[in-house]
Amino acid sequence: MNPGDEQAYADYGDTGHTRTRLPEGDPYGGAPRRGPRRSSSRSLVTVVGVVVLLIAAIAFANRGDHSSADGSTTKSDKPGAAPTAPSGTRPVDTKSAGVPTGFAHTEQGAQSAASNYAVALGSTGMFNKDSRDALLHLLYTSGAATRLEGPMDQAYSTDFLAQMGLDSEGNPPKGSTFVSRVVPIGTTVQLYADDHAKVAVWYMGLIGMAGSSSTDPVTSSWKTWTFDLQWSDGDWKIAADTQKDGPAPVPGDDKAATSDEISKAIEQYGGFTYAR
């Protein structure tokens, strides 16, 4: 993404069909969302080079007839599984720096790797240089990691962090909780070969600051992240990655949570290890 930016969330246009309910007495103070964050986030995408062409929706497949025991063809009683249906196979048993690693050298392993890498690159760890560099060298090929370090440092500049409400080390103000999460919805394989795979991850992202003085409340966004993966040193590594907006569902009529509710939810609910 480059991360931090998976979450350059755009406002939904006025469709005339939905509305968002804000909480009464919102601790955010009803402060307007800051325009600069969107432009800064989009500039982050540009700097790191992550804007790309991707599919507009997840295709459903494997629907078809099944032959009966007597050789006649009958339609299945149940619809065929979607290409991203869970298999029940555990993705990995190992982690490095808290990130799942050691994925299977299979198409399913590539999908699991892409999902977990999206989560790591969309985390708050990307807003601190030390943890960001560690993630780059853990998840990308050596050449890609070296190439990205400089642009990443420029993208996550002190000015950019300040616009996000963070200090120069990527820390939020005392009493506030900075949120940056990626939640994969599904994956699809666009290309697979023995040592190369191209996997798209459709996900929902959360980003913003939860706090009584925040002027940048936590918002959600839908995006698709495509990873070009290479099999290197016994694992899948990212050679290149790109993103595009959507596909986004119609927003519901959910009541927006208060700042305190968001902060508690982030503290109480942890993430997952994702598998196909």
Side-chain angles (χ1 to χ4, degrees), residues 175-198:
S176 296
T177 301
F178 179 60
V179 181
S180 182
R181 284 195 182 186
V182 160
V183 183
I185 306 300
T187 63
T188 186
V189 177
Q190 298 181 342
L191 180 153
Y192 183 79
D194 184 57
D195 61 351
H196 177 71
K198 188 171 186 177

Side-chain angles (χ1 to χ4, degrees), residues 9-16 18-20 33 38 203-205 219-223 245-252:
Y9 307 141
D11 292 331
Y12 291 107
D14 182 5
T15 62
T18 61
R19 65 185 184 280
T20 299
R33 292 171 58 192
R38 185 183 298 117
Y203 72 89
M204 182 186 73
T219 57
S220 61
S221 173
W222 293 82
K223 293 180 180 289
D245 293 337
V250 176

Side-chain angles (χ1 to χ4, degrees), residues 52-79:
V52 261
L53 181 65
L54 200 19
I55 58 174
I58 301 300
F60 288 88
N62 300 326
R63 293 181 181 176
D65 294 343
H66 298 271
S67 298
S68 62
D70 62 2
S72 61
T73 301
T74 59
K75 186 170 288 187
S76 173
D77 294 330
K78 297 181 180 180

Side-chain angles (χ1 to χ4, degrees), residues 62-256:
N62 300 326
R63 293 181 181 176
D65 294 343
H66 298 271
S67 298
S68 62
D70 62 2
S72 61
T73 301
T74 59
K75 186 170 288 187
S76 173
D77 294 330
K78 297 181 180 180
T84 52
S87 67
T89 301
R90 185 178 179 83
V92 292
D93 295 313
T94 58
K95 287 188 176 183
S96 299
V99 180
T101 56
F103 294 92
H105 192 181
T106 63
E107 186 172 316
Q108 179 175 306
Q111 293 180 73
S112 297
S115 296
N116 286 284
Y117 294 172
V119 172
L121 293 173
S123 70
T124 56
M126 290 299 293
F127 293 80
N128 172 271
K129 178 172 173 53
D130 290 340
S131 59
R132 180 171 66 248
D133 288 348
L135 286 172
L136 290 179
H137 287 279
L138 175 65
L139 306 182
Y140 286 80
T141 62
S142 58
T146 300
R147 184 176 66 251
L148 283 173
E149 270 194 47
M152 282 285 196
D153 289 343
Q154 293 178 16
Y156 288 93
S157 65
T158 300
D159 288 342
F160 172 74
L161 295 177
Q163 290 177 14
M164 300 298 292
L166 305 170
D167 64 20
S168 60
E169 299 297 320
N171 300 312
K174 184 176 181 180
S176 296
T177 301
F178 179 60
V179 181
S180 182
R181 284 195 182 186
V182 160
V183 183
I185 306 300
T187 63
T188 186
V189 177
Q190 298 181 342
L191 180 153
Y192 183 79
D194 184 57
D195 61 351
H196 177 71
K198 188 171 186 177
V199 181
V201 180
W202 181 35
Y203 72 89
M204 182 186 73
L206 299 175
I207 193 169
M209 188 76 72
S212 58
S213 60
S214 172
T215 58
D216 215 3
V218 179
T219 57
S220 61
S221 173
W222 293 82
K223 293 180 180 289
T224 307
W225 203 343
T226 302
F227 294 94
D228 285 308
L229 302 172
Q230 287 185 5
W231 185 255
S232 176
D233 297 327
D235 204 355
W236 290 107
K237 299 288 184 179
I238 306 170
D241 56 306
T242 54
Q243 283 195 71
K244 69 164 290 184
D245 293 337
V250 176
D253 190 24
D254 300 313
K255 179 180 179 180

